[in-house]
Amino acid sequence: MDSLTFKWKPPTCGLIMIGLLIGLLVPSAASSYSIGIGISDTTGPVAEVVFMGYAKMDQKGSGLHLRTFSRAFIIDDGEQRFVFVTVDSAMVGHDAKAAVLRNLQSKYGKLYTESNVMISSTHTHSSPGGFMMDVLFDLSTYGFVKESFSALVNGITKSIDKAHNAIVPGRIFVTRGQVLDANINRSPLAYVNNPQEERDKYKYDVDKDLVQLQFVAANGQPLGVINWFAVHPTSMNNTNHLVSSDNVGYASMLFEKKINKNVMVGKGEFVAAFASTNLGDVSPNTRGPKCEFSGKPCSAQYTCPGQKEMCFASGPGKDMFESTSIIAHKIFDEAWNLWSSGMASEVKGPLRVVHRFVDMPKQKASFYNQTSGKVEEVHGCLPAMGYSFAAGTTDGPGSFAFEQGTTTSNPFWNTVRNFLAKPTAEDIRCHGAKPILLATGRMVLPYQWQPKIVSTQLALIGNVVLAGVPGEFTTMSGRRLRESVKKAITRVDSSLENINVIIAGLSNTYSDYVATPEEYQIQRYEGASTIFGPHTLTIYLEQYAELAEALVKRTTVDPGPTPPDLSKVKLISLVPPVIYDSPKWGKEFGDCVKQPPRTARPGDTVSVRFISGHPRNNFMTGNTYLTVERLEEDETWTPVATDADWETKFIWERTSVILGSSHVIIKWEIPENVIPGEYRIRHNGYYRYILGGVYPYQGVTDHFQVKTPYLNY
């Protein structure tokens, strides 16, 4: 029997019993795999570093909303080992993965390799950038930021290391559900250009399925869970300046808190991930686009009549924080229902992985042209970005007068483009409907602007396949890839007809978007950002079909050409370092200059202020800049919230550039389920002395009483 379906109700005596019940329901089934799961903090510089995602140079960090984490899952069947990592970052570049592998190999030898490690980013747009090394991706962040790179690499490495040291016999289960009203298609004009008969196979123009892998130890102990649901982590919009893991990061925290109970965020044994999939054209801003100032509907081309009025989509809440919470709760609620319903199929069978680097501009593929009714040979193009790329999306509109859907070039912008690198006639022909704004494939100064060689990877776990893809696949692109992989597998082994194919988005390499050839013709943002030309997806469909056949047949594939090592290049970095800190005259670091009120109640927001050093002096990795503490009966203080919790905000403000003075504002929104009692807020930080050295400091507020809610009579 290849799979086992079981049905059970969670007992009332605790969540640990859920896992124990799983074990009791199938006592004769031996453990299928060895499983290790780990989580680690990846939060980098929370101040004065530009966020990666919206490409807005003025969107610099000024504090912390939600810490970012790396969540690692190791699966081993005795013959093969596979590592899946999902990390709260905008994307992951080849050089970051290479650095992680160097760290691991220095400790574990050849156990962890390019082939058996898959690193997928959640794609939050509210984390510090500067870690990609490719010029285009680091351009808006004022170049490479070593602090961001190191925090990301070290956090991922540590999460895998924790998973390695936590391996136990265990079992895996797969199930799926549906989430409504949490995502919309932000480029419906492109989507409807796909063939009608293909669109008729699907009820929605975005995927509504949530796929869940459940990990349980052989003794019944719940270990972790991975959820894949197609949504952009752009509930926090481009006006945000607080580091945040956005909607999927908050959903992870909700799930972990549900099981880990009173453990601080990021410290629990149970790890819950909400990973990216084919989210390319999928937005969480479910109210859809409206004109920014007037509130009127945008034009058919998503433009507004005002000279500087943007077409902006908004989420379901009154502001971006509430919208983030609403979307997070929607996907968490369904994930929790799946986890607690007891309806899942056990994953059984061999574990296999296959990986290949692909030089995309050199690839050829066969494409059936519906217009001509003939099969044509197509090929990839040198990377290039179209005009509509500069227009941005309704989640985050761009600058200047660029519009989505632009299929004709402009002489002025062409002149600017040619100054950087002029596309050849072949480039223009190859990219077809895309008017080239940046010929990035021909831009070599100061170094590579975008990758030409990408990572492609498949992992087979019993009847589940993870397709690690090097970019953002649109809804229909993901659907076609899932279908192509499944067909390739069942051609070789018909017993795998019930295979679950999951797109693991933004894995290992970042090469922007992958739209279908039909969507590409419309040149919305996604099509303009499909960098290898109109048949990027066509090439991937053949590449992944080849990998799928090799996976099932257990044949060896050519590893492909190795990408260039950009870590050996002299990288441009224009982010100034922290020179020194000094407190306000007559004050010391850690002094509380705004105390909390004497009493507060659930729903109130307590706001306090401290004299501070620069947060970049120490990222407090695995620690916290703030702690909300409650006084216990034995006169000890118990932490109830940190800077990783939803209820807190850590805001840094520079008060004098010349003097190097700054302060932090700490806000705690008191939750409804708070325990009444005596509280205080602590701030921990580091300051840089003008004569050298970095030193710790701390401060604490006066005590204040949190009382029961007001009663209405």
Side-chain angles (χ1 to χ4, degrees), residues 28 113 170 176 205 212 244 377 425 451 467 473 501 623 632 640 644:
S28 61
T113 67
R176 65 176 62 229
D205 61 0
Q212 183 177 94
S244 175
E377 184 180 79
F473 277 52
V501 182
N623 207 327
E632 303 292 353
V640 297

Side-chain angles (χ1 to χ4, degrees), residues 188-336:
L189 292 175
Y191 180 86
V192 298
N193 207 45
N194 292 306
Q196 180 71 51
E197 61 270 25
E198 182 179 36
R199 288 185 281 120
D200 287 346
K201 294 191 297 184
Y202 304 99
K203 185 176 181 180
Y204 302 103
D205 61 0
V206 293
D207 286 343
K208 301 290 185 180
D209 282 2
L210 185 149
V211 184
Q212 183 177 94
L213 280 188
Q214 304 169 356
F215 300 87
V216 181
N219 65 2
Q221 176 81 15
L223 298 175
V225 64
I226 312 175
N227 303 277
W228 287 270
F229 178 71
V231 67
H232 249 84
T234 48
S235 291
M236 301 294 291
N237 61 42
N238 65 11
T239 66
N240 172 47
H241 291 270
L242 300 180
V243 168
S244 175
S245 55
D246 212 288
N247 45 44
V248 292
Y250 185 32
S252 292
M253 293 179 185
L254 289 170
F255 207 126
E256 289 167 353
K257 280 194 148 190
K258 189 83 170 180
I259 289 188
N260 291 326
K261 293 299 183 183
N262 297 321
V263 179
M264 293 292 99
V265 174
K267 305 295 185 182
E269 292 184 358
F270 184 91
V271 177
F274 284 77
S276 65
T277 182
N278 54 323
L279 51 67
D281 53 357
V282 188
S283 170
N285 295 312
T286 53
R287 286 185 182 175
K290 295 284 191 301
C291 289
E292 187 177 9
F293 304 129
S294 68
K296 295 180 179 179
C298 305
S299 72
Q301 293 298 323
Y302 292 91
T303 60
C304 293
Q307 185 177 0
K308 293 185 178 181
E309 192 169 19
M310 300 287 190
C311 180
F312 223 115
S314 61
K318 66 179 183 294
D319 58 27
M320 60 183 166
F321 294 100
E322 186 176 71
S323 292
T324 300
S325 178
I326 290 171
I327 299 301
H329 276 87
K330 282 181 179 291
I331 59 178
F332 158 71
D333 287 345
E334 179 59 18
W336 181 252

Side-chain angles (χ1 to χ4, degrees), residues 463-529:
N463 66 332
V464 174
V465 172
L466 290 187
V469 298
E472 302 177 56
F473 277 52
T474 63
T475 298
M476 194 62 85
S477 291
R479 289 168 173 172
R480 289 185 190 177
L481 183 62
R482 290 198 297 261
E483 188 175 308
S484 177
V485 169
K486 184 174 183 177
K487 283 183 177 178
I489 288 174
T490 54
R491 276 197 303 266
V492 179
D493 187 348
S494 59
S495 69
L496 293 172
E497 61 180 357
N498 293 322
I499 197 85
N500 293 274
V501 182
I502 301 169
I503 306 295
L506 299 101
S507 292
N508 304 326
T509 311
Y510 183 68
S511 56
D512 290 88
Y513 283 74
V514 182
T516 69
E518 296 85 357
E519 293 165 348
Y520 184 93
Q521 301 306 312
I522 305 303
Q523 282 297 289
R524 293 279 295 169
Y525 178 85
E526 297 80 15
S529 303

Side-chain angles (χ1 to χ4, degrees), residues 175-196:
T175 185
R176 65 176 62 229
Q178 190 177 77
V179 183
L180 301 179
D181 302 321
N183 60 359
I184 62 170
N185 195 305
R186 70 185 187 191
S187 289
L189 292 175
Y191 180 86
V192 298
N193 207 45
N194 292 306
Q196 180 71 51

Side-chain angles (χ1 to χ4, degrees), residues 103 114 119 130 142 148 231 247 265 268 295 325 407 499 658 666 670:
N103 289 345
E114 193 74 60
I119 303 177
Y142 297 92
S148 296
V231 67
N247 45 44
V265 174
S325 178
T407 54
I499 197 85
I658 296 175
I666 294 173
I670 304 176

